[in-house]
Amino acid sequence: SERFKGKSMAFTSTPLSLGNRKLVVLGVPWDVDTEGLRKYMINYGPLDDVIVMKDRVTGRSRGFGYVTFQS
């Protein structure tokens, strides 16, 4: 996706309770919403769930999210 060009994101796995299927995605650009992250991450495999965390007051992205792959 064009929004991600020139941007770097970090991926870290969550505890083994999800069998290494869930990643924390850090450094998500402010203008990328959940659907934008989904469109980007689908390139790496089928997804179960994607969410970009937002500030409760402003609704603006907090710059990170979670991605759960199917397998």
Side-chain angles (χ1 to χ4, degrees):
S1 173
E2 290 298 314
R3 288 183 179 171
F4 291 96
K5 274 197 173 171
K7 313 264 177 155
S8 64
M9 291 188 292
F11 304 98
T12 61
S13 61
T14 57
L16 297 176
S17 62
L18 288 173
N20 287 336
R21 297 183 308 122
K22 189 168 188 175
L23 297 178
V24 177
V25 183
L26 306 173
V28 175
W30 300 118
D31 62 339
V32 174
D33 60 6
T34 295
E35 190 56 32
L37 184 59
R38 178 183 307 280
K39 287 178 182 177
Y40 181 77
M41 295 302 292
I42 196 75
N43 293 307
Y44 297 98
L47 305 171
D48 268 347
D49 190 40
V50 178
I51 189 164
V52 171
M53 303 310 293
K54 295 182 179 182
D55 182 275
R56 291 181 188 167
V57 175
T58 66
R60 185 176 140 184
S61 167
R62 293 179 59 197
F64 73 97
Y66 298 94
V67 176
T68 306
F69 289 93
Q70 287 182 5
S71 59

